[in-house]
Amino acid sequence: MSLNQPPRREQGAGEGRGGGGPRRAAFRQQTQQEDAGLRGSRDSSEGGSAADRPEQDCMQLNPSFRGIAINSLLAIDISLSKRLGVCVRPHGPWAPLRSMVTLLAFSGHALPWLCGTLICLWRSNTLAGQEVLVNLLLALILDLMTVAGMQKLVKRRGPWDFPPGFLDYVAMDRYSFPAAHASRAVMVSKFLLNHLVLAVPLRILLYLWAFLVGVSRVLLGKHHLSDVGCGFALGFLHFTLVESVWLDSATCQTLISIGTLRWTLLV
């Protein structure tokens, strides 16, 4: 019995090894199948992304001609506007002209025109003068609200990205596009030329003033060239709109009486 025991152990070990062999083979086969499935899914996903990638690359590398033209014009606009901002720095070579350019730009601000129109309307005694002044006041309010709304919608910064000052907040002129001073200058100049009898030199000076107001904003670094150009066009549209809906003398007298009544009640 003792002589036969070692062979039994070897047989048992051999059976154990023989029994574990098929299990290991099955486990290896299952692992290989799982690895093959993972590779197949990975290859399919990479193939799908690679199939979608060329179209995206084509869209990025081949933009439309319209997009290229717009981006090129914007780049030229920004570059020229920064070069023309010669009065931005208070200690630059154009520093002696900075105060005069600032005063010229302030002449197109909304505050002096609104206050001046109200004072003239208060001191006017003729029906014709009051009619013109009321329509001018409405045109100034229309220009102020329209430009402020467009600036709030577009939110374009100036070429030098200066923070708005106190007077800019008063006139709601916080952004660059469109240029409020340029729009107001063109609208006012067209209005005065159409309703006042002026000599030829004064008419030329009025046109020149409107143009220089827009240029002064570029020299101060407040607006781009495109902002001033669109401001000129918008001011002409405001003038055309006011002339098309011109209020007659009776309507103006009604508005004046309503405004006078309100001020009398407040006093």
Side-chain angles (χ1 to χ4, degrees):
M1 296 293 291
S2 61
L3 294 174
N4 294 329
Q5 285 179 357
R8 289 179 182 175
R9 292 197 195 110
E10 293 177 0
Q11 184 179 2
E15 290 177 357
R17 288 193 295 267
R23 293 179 183 174
R24 291 179 183 174
F27 180 74
R28 288 178 182 174
Q29 185 178 2
Q30 183 179 0
T31 306
Q32 291 176 357
Q33 291 177 357
E34 291 178 355
D35 292 341
L38 290 175
R39 290 197 195 98
S41 61
R42 192 180 304 167
D43 293 339
S44 63
S45 62
E46 290 179 355
S49 61
D52 297 337
R53 203 174 298 158
E55 184 177 357
Q56 297 176 358
D57 294 340
C58 291
M59 293 176 63
Q60 294 176 359
L61 296 176
N62 297 320
S64 62
F65 177 77
R66 181 181 179 183
I68 294 175
I70 293 176
N71 292 331
S72 301
L73 290 176
L74 288 176
I76 294 172
D77 181 31
I78 295 173
S79 178
L80 288 178
S81 301
K82 285 188 174 182
R83 289 184 180 181
L84 290 174
V86 294
C87 297
V88 174
R89 299 178 180 85
H91 303 291
W94 292 73
L97 297 177
R98 192 170 187 271
S99 58
M100 185 177 65
V101 174
T102 303
L103 182 61
L104 182 61
F106 181 73
S107 65
H109 196 273
L111 190 61
W113 281 103
L114 288 172
C115 294
T117 304
L118 288 173
I119 292 174
C120 293
L121 183 61
W122 176 54
R123 297 180 63 87
S124 178
N125 295 322
T126 62
L127 295 179
Q130 292 177 355
E131 178 183 351
V132 173
L133 290 171
V134 168
N135 283 277
L136 177 60
L137 181 62
L138 294 178
L140 291 171
I141 295 174
L142 173 65
D143 180 82
L144 180 67
M145 301 304 294
T146 304
V147 172
M150 292 183 65
Q151 288 186 356
K152 188 68 175 178
L153 182 64
V154 179
K155 293 184 178 181
R156 187 188 188 188
R157 297 290 182 180
W160 294 91
D161 199 12
F162 289 127
F166 174 73
L167 293 177
D168 296 329
Y169 280 106
V170 171
M172 296 182 289
D173 189 12
R174 297 175 55 189
Y175 297 100
S176 177
F177 181 87
H181 292 66
S183 174
R184 191 174 303 110
V186 169
M187 189 269 297
V188 169
S189 61
K190 289 290 293 180
F191 190 94
L192 295 179
L193 289 171
N194 196 35
H195 296 282
L196 295 180
V197 180
L198 299 174
V200 175
L202 292 178
R203 298 175 72 88
I204 295 175
L205 286 177
L206 201 54
Y207 277 119
L208 184 62
W209 167 79
F211 175 74
L212 291 179
V213 166
V215 173
S216 66
R217 298 293 288 177
V218 178
L219 296 179
L220 293 172
K222 297 292 186 178
H223 295 284
H224 300 87
L225 289 173
S226 58
D227 303 333
V228 174
C230 292
F232 286 156
L234 190 61
F236 183 78
L237 290 176
H238 288 159
F239 165 75
T240 305
L241 180 61
V242 170
E243 291 294 322
S244 62
V245 293
W246 183 268
L247 300 181
D248 56 0
S249 180
T251 307
C252 293
Q253 292 302 315
T254 303
L255 293 177
I256 292 173
S257 61
I258 293 174
T260 306
L261 177 63
R262 289 181 178 178
W263 285 107
T264 304
L265 292 177
L266 289 176
V267 174

